[in-house]
Amino acid sequence: MSSAESSGEPIAPRSSQAERGADTRMDWWRNARFGMFIHWGLYSPAAGKWDGKEAAGAGEWLLTNAQVDPIAYREALLPQFNPVRFDAAQWASIAKDAGMQYVVITTKHHDGFCLWPSDLTDYDVASAPFKRDIMKELADAVRADGMRMGWYHSIMDWTHPDYLPRRGWDKRPTDGASFDRYVAYMHGQLKELLTRYGQIDVLWFDGEWENTWTHDWGKRTDDFVRSLQPQIIVNNRVDVGRAGMAGFSASETARGDFGTPEQTIPTTGMPGRDWETCMTMNDTWGFKDSDTNWKSSRTLIRMLCDIASKGGNFLLNVGPRGDGTIPPESVERLKAIGAWMRVNGESIYGTHASPFARPLPWGRVTQRAGGAAGAGTTTLYLHVFEWPTDGVLRVTGLANDVVSASVLGATPATAAGAGVPPGATTLLTTRDSGGVAVATPRVAPNADCTVIKLVIKGAPDVAPWFIGPDARGAVVCTARDATTTGSIAFEERFQNLGFWTDPQSTAEWTVKVPQPGLYALAIEYAAEPGAGGTVEFVVSSTVAGGASAATTKTRGTLTHTLPARASWGDFATVELGEIDLPGGALVQVRARAARMAGSAFANVRAVTLTPMPVVP
Ligand code: H79
């Protein structure tokens, strides 16, 4: 194992400036996997209250949540910004000890307050009692600890007189306001942020969804940022067309290096796409003392494993208090994650998404090719959430020969159990037609998540994942089981596929039935008035192509008009026609919106293939 792969170590040295699109530019970010998000500003001392009254919603949204006049907000809160206990080195060491490899802080959030001394506004830290250049102190401390520095920057600005549209309660006249001038101001501020603080590694835009921001502004801003810092990594919120909180861009031509799921984790891996889930530990980004709905350390550790197993990064938020300290509840959780990472970081840093298309019943998997385990091997890291009670962990569908198996960080005591020789740290494995079975200790060495390191010969040879018939012979393809492209994503709300806003995006299911036959294809969907359209299904199967590789054969297409329904939650099932399924072969059922009546197509909950009665 190289030092960069070992737990808790800083990542590889900064790469030289690479061309946009060149993979090396993204290397450090893909390896890092885990970063700290910091939301800090005037709302922090307010702690969720305006005029002594608690405001509902996230702390950093105080101005909007309490419908405060922007001038009154500024006059009340700017004099209060004096975080005398702020210690950049301490923040950096909290992030570092948690195993985080980069830090992204709000240079300016939606309220418009600037945490660095800006020449272009008085609404900044230099005009507050505190005066210090927080951005410089933090960037220096973060780099001193071997981490990377990123800026969050809000496009939406509730206070700047040229930003449009105005909040409904904001009585300042819009006459004379110029959005072009606002963008010039924002670019001037970005220039300060990207020329005064050395190499900035990430620019994390937000607040891009109001109608004044356009694809053209996105392109120009992206080009401008890259002209100042060619190696920088920019999120997809620089451009328009983000598909809700699921966070992927609807268009292939949208700018941005990575998708930004917010408070949500995709249901599957996303081959070929870079993404980062940002998440709070409680329910607010900016500090709010009434919010005590903390996720447990166990939940956060498992989220990190889940995200890594799907090939994403985890940007975990802290909301420091008005005095400059990170809440103890957050520090405690970061310490627990750090303790886990010191033992298990090897299974997270620099690993790739699971070779299994879907999570295994007991947990998650990441992988690393070659490395210290030797050329021609692959290391699978089995993240076990549900420890086996029968002493056997089944890795179903894995056909490779096993080189070795061990518990990460194991001592002879933790490895003891059925099938484990006394004093050994290796685990016994067996392989049969069903896959690999690992003999496990009776008690989970780590109740939050134990990692079993399984070294196999060659690249992973995993049985393809498919949906088989249920007891009635019907093949039920749920939204959760879909493999999606483009903007389409699973939504918890109605357990549906949503954000179906782009005709290029697809949802696909792989199915297999034992016997050939005719199946009726039905779709369960909802669409609000004005939406709906024409769905096109292409059914194809993979057939062995003689001596050459397998080829795909189209088995038929079905198109059908789906009329709008009463709402996005008003589901109905419609039968579209019949398809002929081969027996014993993998069949791909792919849906696309051939025509969209409105700006979005439909919420799709399931596609069902029901066997037709055999006519005698
Ligand atoms: O900074 C934190 C939050 O204050 C900020 N983003 C994180 C990182 C945030 N701003 N707004 N929200 C979170 C929720 C806003 C959701 C909506 Fe929309 C805006 C719903 C409709 C417009 C985003 C854009 C989701 C759909 C379209």
Side-chain angles (χ1 to χ4, degrees), residues 477-496:
C477 306
T478 65
R480 195 184 282 279
D481 289 334
T483 303
T484 61
T485 66
S487 60
I488 300 172
F490 179 76
E491 285 189 281
E492 290 291 340
R493 192 163 54 136
F494 302 118
Q495 302 285 300
N496 64 289

Side-chain angles (χ1 to χ4, degrees), residues 37 39 60-61 109-110 152 206 209 237 242 244 262 285:
F37 215 172
H39 277 70
E60 76 286 358
W61 273 66
H109 203 262
H110 308 332
Y152 166 107
D206 198 10
W209 59 81
R237 300 187 189 188
R242 168 168 57 111
E262 178 168 329
W285 301 89

